[in-house]
Amino acid sequence: MDLNKLPNDKKLELCRSYFIGGCFFLPFVWAVNVVWFFKEAFVKPAFDEQKQIKKYVLLSGLGAIVWIIILAAWVTAFQLNRVAWGAVGDSLSFIVPLGRA
Amino acid sequence: MKYRSNIFTITFITVIHALHCERLHNQIYSSIDGSAACFRRLNGTHQMGCSSSDNGSVGVVHMIKEISDAQWLISNSSAGPYVAVVSTSLFNNIIDLLIAEPNHVAGVLLYDNSTTRPTAFSHESKCPNEYSAGPGSTCSSQDSNVWNSKGTGLLRRDIPFPIFFVPDSKVDEIDKIEKCYNRYNLDKNNQIGKPLCSLQLSSFMYAAVNTAVCLRRSASSAFLTPTKVCDPLGDYNVYYSLFPRSQENNGEKKTVTLVTARIDSASMFDGVAPGAASSVVGMVTLIVTASTLAQMIPLADAKLYDHNILWTLFNGESFDYIGSQRTAYDISRGQWPPLSPLSLSDIKLHLEIGQLGGSLPLYKENSSWPLYAFAPYGSVLPTEITEFLAEMSQAVSSKNMSLEPVITTNLPPSSLHSFRRIFKNITDNASLPELLLVDHRETFTNMYYESALDLYENIDFVYRNISIGTDGKFIPTTELLANGNMTESDPQVKISRIASALAQTLYQQVTGKPYVGSIDEMLYCLLRSQGCRLLSAADYMSNTDDATVGKPAPLYVGVATWSSTPAVYAGHLLALLTGTHLDINRTACDALNVPGFSNYYLRGWNHSGVCVQTTMNFSQAVSPAFIKTDYDFTSNEFSTWTESVWQGMWVRVFVTAGGGGARLACITGAVATVLAALITYWLQANANIIFPALSTVPLVGDAAPAPILRSVNC
């Protein structure tokens, strides 16, 4: 979809719906929202809905970053401790590696 | 028309290409056939054995002719990693070096050369089954006073690289590798950047860590198709009683002498477990003694005797006494044998025929063969033991052999340990008299205990092919000795004398005369060829496929989910040689149902089928650890051995490129990419100059589709 061909109110609607969609544990939707609407929010000359778009983009970005931090922390902790956790580590694994601990 | 001919040409070229590719693969790789891989086993606490990397470990061939070659490999080599190709005579000297510095080692290819065998070769630990030993055992791997003094313990170590074994019969494969090595790798100090002869060893093991972890992983992974990563070791025990036991009433229950031996042996390599002196001689002695007694005492006379003999062959004894632990555990729960369970008070004597045969080569010049009877007591012996020893000594000394009692609680590895552990209180106060018959004293006389080299040569066995008629009649020993077909120093004669003395002792009333021919044939069956007459007569009539002729069956216990052949062979031999042969056809045989007996329709000596009625039966030899719920695998109470699952095991030899070609391809690729980027940039920058006319033509127009479509079609 080409944002340039979209009227400003539709842009706001789209940005808001992406923000709301991301609230359902979908941080990737937030990340897409940030990338997609970054130019609209911060680069384009001011228009009526820009303030609100800016708000959604900022919130989405913040949410995505928090998610990334949480996920990165979990992945690191899991990868470092899977073996030490034993049975718990195995049951948390989707694919258990063959031939090693 | 022209298109069609083009398609034909393309198809033709593709087919030719495919054929050529196949041939190219064969031109690059040459597989090493008949090799056996070291695989991974796990117990309650550790993983042991070998595994390659996922796609097979690749290394440059290095022939090890001297210890210095191995030292060069770990310290001075440059083009590593390497695959060390080493003979059995040097293996034990260099393997510790390689394990200590595994960085340059991709694997080891071990080959056997019958002309240069080592004097000792055992990878079992110095105290086999040390951690399952009964009370009173003093053997400790750290001490110098050990049973298996030549044991390296490699079988119980986690080896960081794959090892493959090439038997003596496949020596031409080693010649192939050596030829390749001599052509490419001889210039040891100038190997970098040169094409080199290499080996790829593939034996990737799925299981890891220990039994608890691998069983857990085999059971889990609910999302995807579950992958089994390991199986418990186990198979079947074989038991047979002289008289049917299930016909006995409680009031007149016969006491029992329990005579046991073991079936299995082991080695580090898959499908290689000859076990001549480790287990076969003991097992053959038991079967022959049993058949001798069965011939001497007619079943109809069962009522005349108030004593019975229960012959049992244990399986999986190499791995913490799997079979005997299970049997002792089942006896303690009153569940063995399933029909009319045995209680401990019924057992008058437990005699184990332990490791025999290791000292046969030491006495090959004469007719003597000193045996030792280990009795696990202090100064006071139970009367059953003293009586048995007196009778047995007399019986063997009349045959120019000797039996020396050894009174010590430090028993050699044997199934007695399982009974002494599980029935500790009962064995301690000597109400279950126990005796172990072996042919060694302080240390094993068998220098190849549980190894790939425990072959028929190790017991000095020469097959005499003493004729058995189509009726299965063996020529008596005395006749064979008289006409010079056999001599008194032959292992067959010695084993027959032991069996005879044993039978005589077990039943003083009768004098057993085992036929040496049956020993000759049985040793041949178990050590040389499973396609022998005795096993083929003992096979199921319904079994039409012929056994692998010319090869003995490996005696490794295997995994519990697959039954392996040794227990079946032992059971059928017992049935054929001790059972009653009924002259009825197959349907009548299958329909027959006499309590206490089972019926087997076997091929018989003339392959016309014979119905054998026998008390022989099989019982599970799976460790109690795997049948008890919530068993703690680290408790060391029962055997916890499992074997890893693997996908395939193969070895191939090929010449690796020196690396020049790969570097050239890489550089050319990089240059081409940069060049293409520059040209694209330049074209884009000057597009208006180069394509002045096209810039005005719309991209999607009537003129455009034709050339685009054409190019797609092409």
Side-chain angles (χ1 to χ4, degrees), chain A residues 82 86-87 90 94-101, chain B residues 40 204-209 216-217 223-224 229:
Chain A
R82 184 183 59 82
D90 275 0
F94 191 70
I95 298 170
V96 180
L98 292 176
R100 58 196 170 92
Chain B
R40 186 173 282 165
F204 179 62
M205 295 293 141
Y206 285 7
V209 189
R216 183 175 75 215
R217 289 181 178 176
F223 296 113
L224 302 166
V229 296

Side-chain angles (χ1 to χ4, degrees), chain B residues 59-76:
Chain B
V60 176
V61 174
H62 190 62
M63 303 292 292
I64 296 196
K65 303 282 183 190
E66 285 161 30
I67 295 174
S68 58
D69 291 332
Q71 280 157 346
W72 176 87
L73 196 160
I74 56 169
S75 48
N76 297 334

Side-chain angles (χ1 to χ4, degrees), chain B residues 214-271:
Chain B
C214 81
L215 286 182
R216 183 175 75 215
R217 289 181 178 176
S218 296
S220 67
S221 78
F223 296 113
L224 302 166
T225 21
T227 325
K228 192 158 71 168
V229 296
C230 70
D231 290 298
L233 292 191
D235 198 34
Y236 286 94
N237 295 325
V238 179
Y239 63 94
Y240 150 77
S241 61
L242 183 61
F243 307 124
R245 292 188 60 252
S246 60
Q247 290 172 352
E248 296 166 8
N249 306 321
N250 273 336
E252 42 163 305
K253 248 192 161 177
K254 290 182 172 125
T255 53
V256 158
T257 298
L258 188 61
V259 186
T260 59
R262 74 185 240 208
I263 298 173
D264 72 306
S265 180
S267 88
M268 283 170 60
F269 308 104
D270 178 41

Side-chain angles (χ1 to χ4, degrees), chain B residues 609-671:
Chain B
V610 61
C611 183
V612 176
Q613 192 175 52
T614 177
T615 59
M616 188 280 296
N617 218 327
F618 298 97
S619 71
Q620 263 202 328
V622 176
S623 168
F626 299 109
I627 57 165
K628 285 180 95 169
T629 45
D630 295 334
Y631 177 77
D632 175 12
F633 282 100
T634 55
S635 69
N636 195 32
E637 190 184 354
F638 297 114
S639 167
T640 53
W641 287 96
T642 47
E643 179 188 301
S644 174
V645 169
W646 61 81
Q647 186 122 55
M649 289 170 167
W650 47 262
V651 185
R652 61 189 187 186
V653 63
F654 63 102
V655 179
T656 40
R663 268 195 298 278
L664 185 69
C666 180
I667 292 166
T668 316
V671 170

Side-chain angles (χ1 to χ4, degrees), chain B residues 457-570:
Chain B
E457 293 101 323
N458 188 28
I459 61 162
D460 205 31
F461 168 66
V462 181
Y463 181 45
R464 294 303 170 88
N465 200 358
I466 304 163
S467 59
I468 334 166
T470 47
D471 53 351
K473 282 271 188 295
F474 295 104
I475 306 165
T477 314
T478 41
E479 201 175 302
L480 284 166
L481 285 173
N483 64 20
N485 276 345
M486 294 221 126
T487 62
E488 290 196 318
S489 55
D490 279 326
Q492 291 95 315
V493 174
K494 290 180 183 177
I495 295 169
S496 89
R497 286 178 165 173
I498 294 296
S500 157
L502 198 56
Q504 201 175 329
T505 315
L506 286 170
Y507 255 79
Q508 272 259 295
Q509 295 91 328
V510 293
T511 314
K513 283 184 198 136
Y515 295 111
V516 71
S518 68
I519 294 170
D520 187 50
E521 192 66 19
M522 213 180 294
L523 286 177
Y524 176 71
C525 293
L526 296 168
L527 297 175
R528 303 292 300 276
S529 167
Q530 37 186 325
C532 64
R533 280 170 298 180
L534 189 55
L535 281 180
S536 116
D539 201 356
Y540 283 118
M541 187 65 187
S542 50
N543 193 4
T544 46
D545 47 299
D546 280 321
T548 333
V549 180
K551 265 176 87 175
L555 299 177
Y556 174 56
V557 57
V559 293
T561 41
W562 294 93
S563 70
S564 45
T565 47
V568 177
Y569 283 168

Side-chain angles (χ1 to χ4, degrees), chain B residues 431-444:
Chain B
S431 56
L432 173 61
E434 293 171 311
L435 202 62
L436 171 65
L437 202 64
V438 289
D439 69 345
H440 65 83
R441 198 170 171 151
E442 278 86 13
T443 56
F444 289 171

